Amino acid sequence: MSESPESPYTVSDVMTHTVVAVGRDASFKEIVALIDQWKVSALPVLEGEGRVVGVVSEADLLAKEGVKGGGEQAFDPVARAKAEGLTAGELMSAPAITVHADASVAEAARIMARRRVKRLPVVDAVGMLQGVVSRSDLLKVFLRPDEEIADEIVRSVLTKLPVTTPLSVAVSDGVATLTGSAAERTYMPIVARAVQGVEGVVDVRLELTHR
């Protein structure tokens, strides 16, 4: 069996479709005002008809304050360049770290963790902006009803097991408890990993009985 069940949740299921973005010529104060108004940590920077060319974040903007106090940032050429920037095109981080709408939620989470960003512009095949996905958006999968999670575990994991004794599952507050015969112990580590891969599962517990 596959160790990672195919989950129905992709970036398109959780992303925000209404996005605030700026062009290259947006001023420093305009960017700050938009970030404050919309309570976001970063804005995509667009050119042409909506192609994402970069992202300007709170960290990019704070470089202006960072160099004032001296220290390492004052001697960092990248930080100094951002500190002198007046427009989105001069302040942004480029190229933008993006994700596609059909990427899995897990893949988006890995990109955020690896690249240490809080939000990802969602783009199509040619780089046109489709939406934005944030850390809080990715957490929406943990709001799935327990019954829905249990149904997916049965459908995508348990029904595909090559075991002689059927296993059963109960989900409570996102915690999946698998019950079965100790005779199937060999498969349980694989099953547990597969169940953990179902979106919305918080933890997996095993309860094996001896016959």
Side-chain angles (χ1 to χ4, degrees), residues 27 53 63 145 150:
S27 70
V53 293

Side-chain angles (χ1 to χ4, degrees), residues 15-99:
M15 72 182 190
T16 301
H17 293 268
T18 302
V19 183
V20 183
V22 295
R24 284 181 179 270
D25 296 331
S27 70
F28 185 99
K29 295 196 74 170
E30 181 184 351
I31 297 166
V32 173
L34 286 171
I35 285 177
D36 179 67
Q37 177 184 352
W38 292 93
K39 308 303 179 189
V40 295
S41 58
L43 298 172
V45 181
L46 311 180
E47 70 176 9
E49 297 182 357
R51 187 168 63 86
V52 179
V53 293
V55 172
V56 60
S57 68
E58 293 170 327
D60 294 324
L61 299 171
L62 284 173
K64 195 172 289 293
E65 288 295 316
V67 298
K68 291 181 181 179
E72 293 182 5
Q73 278 197 317
F75 300 97
D76 184 338
V78 175
R80 289 199 62 84
K82 288 185 181 294
E84 295 169 0
L86 299 176
T87 65
E90 296 167 341
L91 293 159
M92 69 184 185
S93 297
I97 303 167
T98 62
V99 69

Side-chain angles (χ1 to χ4, degrees), residues 5-6 66 90 92 105 107 119 135 143 161 166 174 177 193 204:
E6 183 179 350
E90 296 167 341
M92 69 184 185
V105 167
E107 182 181 350
R119 294 161 60 86
R135 289 175 177 175
L143 298 177
L161 287 174
T177 300
R193 286 196 297 272
V204 180

Side-chain angles (χ1 to χ4, degrees), residues 101-155:
D102 60 357
S104 69
V105 167
E107 182 181 350
R110 285 193 293 269
I111 294 172
M112 286 186 187
R114 186 171 62 248
R115 304 303 294 269
R116 298 181 181 179
V117 295
K118 299 177 182 179
R119 294 161 60 86
L120 293 172
V122 183
V123 299
D124 63 14
V126 294
M128 302 294 284
L129 184 65
Q130 294 185 307
V132 167
V133 64
S134 66
R135 289 175 177 175
S136 59
D137 290 329
L138 298 184
L139 289 173
K140 290 176 184 176
V141 297
F142 293 105
L143 298 177
R144 296 181 72 186
D146 289 336
E147 296 80 6
E148 182 179 314
I149 296 172
D151 287 345
E152 183 178 341
I153 292 172
V154 171
R155 183 179 67 254

Side-chain angles (χ1 to χ4, degrees), residues 145-192:
D146 289 336
E147 296 80 6
E148 182 179 314
I149 296 172
D151 287 345
E152 183 178 341
I153 292 172
V154 171
R155 183 179 67 254
S156 63
V157 180
L158 301 188
T159 59
K160 299 180 180 179
L161 287 174
V163 298
T164 56
T165 305
L167 303 179
S168 60
V169 61
V171 180
S172 177
D173 290 332
V175 177
T177 300
L178 296 172
T179 305
S181 169
E184 310 298 348
R185 184 182 300 275
T186 302
Y187 293 101
M188 296 314 288
I190 298 174
V191 175

